[in-house]
C-alpha cells in the first residue's frame, strides 16, 4: 500500500438483514471498532435499511454505502434509486458494477460508466467493481477483461473527481465461493490496475480493494500485498466479529 493511502474495508450486506438485524449489526460494528484505528470502515446495507443504519452510525467514523444507484437524479424510473437520494440518506460510497448486478440484472460497462459519473457528480464515491469469470481466467484473459471493464467503465471521468474513486477487483470465481485469489494472484491484477489507471483517469490516487471470499483467516496475507488498499467483503461482513477482525488485519 502506498504510504498516503488509508485502507478501506467495506462490507457488502447484499440482500440480507431486516431492519432490526441491520440496526443490531451496525451497532455492534460501531461498538467494536478500534477508536484509534487507522483503517476506514464502511457498510453497504440493502436500500431498505440505509436510513436506519445511518441513524445508528451518526457521529461514528463508519461510512455508509449503497449497493447500486441509477444515473438519473429523479424521474419516472420505477424501482430505481438515485445518487441524490443516496446522498440525502447519508451515503458516502456507492458500489457500482458488482458482478451480481452484471450477471442477474444485465449491468453493462456503459451503464457502469453513467452510474459512476452520476455518483461522482453528486459528491459521492463510487466503488467500481471489475473482475474476470473462471472461464476468462482459464483462457488467460484476466488482464484483458479487467482492462476492458476499466477503460469502458471509467471513460471520460473528470480527473479531479477521480480522486474520490475506489476500484474493487473481484474475480467472479472468488465471490461467495470460499475460493479466494492467492495473494500473488490478487497482487498481479492490482499492480496491473494501478499501472493502467493513469491512462484512464489521470494521476489521482485511487484506492484498490480486493473482493472475493475475504475472511479473518486470509485477510492479513492479502492486505500485506503492496497494491491492495483494502477489501470489499461479502459473507464475512454479515457478522460483526468476522468483519471487525478483517478491519483489524488492515491496520
Ligand atoms: C462481494 O459481495 O463483493 C464479495 C466479495 O462477497 P464474498 O466476500 O462473500 O465473496
Amino acid at each position: 500500500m502506498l504510504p498516503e493511502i488509508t485502507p478501506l474495508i467495506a462490507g457488502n450486506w447484499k440482500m440480507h438483514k431486516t431492519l432490526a438485524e441491520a440496526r443490531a449489526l451496525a451497532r455492534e460494528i460501531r461498538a467494536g471498532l478500534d477508536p484509534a484505528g487507522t483503517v476506514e470502515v464502511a457498510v453497504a446495507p440493502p436500500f431498505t435499511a440505509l436510513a436506519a443504519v445511518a441513524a445508528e452510525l451518526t457521529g461514528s467514523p463508519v461510512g455508509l454505502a449503497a449497493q447500486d444507484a441509477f444515473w438519473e437524479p429523479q424521474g419516472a424510473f420505477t424501482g430505481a434509486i438515485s445518487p441524490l437520494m443516496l446522498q440525502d440518506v447519508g451515503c458516502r460510497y456507492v458500489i457500482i458494477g458488482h458482478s451480481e448486478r452484471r450477471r442477474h440484472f444485465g449491468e453493462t460497462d456503459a451503464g457502469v460508466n453513467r452510474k459512476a459519473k452520476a455518483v461522482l457528480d453528486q459528491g459521492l464515491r463510487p466503488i467500481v467493481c471489475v473482475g474476470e469469470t473462471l472461464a476468462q481466467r482459464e483462457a488467460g484473459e484476466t488482464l484483458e477483461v479487467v482492462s476492458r471493464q476499466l477503460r469502458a467503465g471509467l471513460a471520460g471521468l473528470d480527473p479531479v473527481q477521480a480522486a474520490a474513486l475506489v476500484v474493487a477487483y473481484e474475480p467472479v470465481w472468488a465471490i461467495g465461493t470460499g475460493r479466494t485469489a492467492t495473494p500473488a494472484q490478487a497482487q498481479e491484477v492490482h499492480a496491473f490496475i494501478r499501472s493502467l489507471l493513469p491512462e484512464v483517469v489521470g494521476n489521482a490516487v485511487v484506492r484498490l480493494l480486493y473482493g472475493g471470499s475475504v475472511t479473518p483467516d486470509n485477510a492479513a496475507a492479502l492486505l500485506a500485498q503492496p497494491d491492495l488498499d483494502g477489501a470489499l467483503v461479502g459473507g464475512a461482513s454479515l457478522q460483526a466479529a468476522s468483519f471487525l477482525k478483517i478491519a483489524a488485519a488492515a491496520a
Side-chain angles (χ1 to χ4, degrees):
M1 196 183 328
L2 297 173
E4 71 269 26
I5 295 184
T6 300
L8 171 64
I9 303 295
N12 175 12
W13 297 0
K14 308 194 187 192
M15 198 173 71
H16 293 285
K17 305 295 177 189
T18 62
L19 272 182
E21 290 166 348
R23 281 196 194 98
L25 179 55
R27 263 199 303 273
E28 273 187 81
I29 290 170
R30 178 180 186 157
L33 261 192
D34 174 2
T38 51
V39 178
E40 186 182 353
V41 167
V43 294
F47 289 129
T48 48
L50 282 172
V53 170
E56 291 296 341
L57 297 179
T58 302
S60 95
V62 181
L64 189 66
Q67 298 176 18
D68 185 33
F70 191 52
W71 53 74
E72 295 289 344
Q74 61 196 23
F77 303 104
T78 301
I81 301 287
S82 74
L84 173 67
M85 293 165 170
L86 296 175
Q87 187 204 41
D88 187 46
V89 79
C91 285
R92 188 185 303 165
Y93 293 98
V94 185
I95 299 170
I96 300 290
H98 191 281
S99 68
E100 289 154 13
R101 300 282 329 159
R102 294 177 189 258
R103 184 158 38 125
H104 300 300
F105 302 99
E107 188 87 77
T108 62
D109 288 331
V112 168
N113 187 244
R114 292 185 77 170
K115 290 179 174 187
K117 285 177 176 163
V119 163
L120 286 168
D121 284 345
Q122 197 56 51
L124 300 171
R125 302 169 190 202
I127 301 176
V128 173
C129 302
V130 297
E132 81 287 0
T133 63
L134 186 58
Q136 288 166 332
R137 173 161 283 267
E138 286 175 348
E141 295 168 2
T142 297
L143 301 186
E144 190 187 320
V145 168
V146 167
S147 166
R148 194 169 59 233
Q149 290 173 333
L150 285 172
R151 287 179 192 279
L154 305 179
L157 247 58
D158 175 319
V160 175
Q161 287 185 336
L165 175 69
V166 178
V167 170
Y169 168 57
E170 300 208 302
V172 177
W173 48 270
I175 298 179
T177 59
R179 184 176 166 190
T180 319
T182 64
Q185 284 173 323
Q187 168 58 25
E188 183 200 8
V189 180
H190 278 237
F192 171 74
I193 295 173
R194 186 90 77 202
S195 70
L196 181 72
L197 280 175
E199 237 183 89
V200 184
V201 295
N203 286 325
V205 177
V206 174
R207 281 188 288 188
L208 306 183
L209 312 186
Y210 167 78
S213 297
V214 175
T215 66
D217 292 335
N218 60 30
L222 285 161
L223 293 166
Q225 299 301 307
D227 288 299
L228 269 71
D229 308 319
L232 182 54
V233 185
S237 74
L238 296 175
Q239 253 117 43
S242 46
F243 186 59
L244 289 167
K245 278 185 197 153
I246 294 169

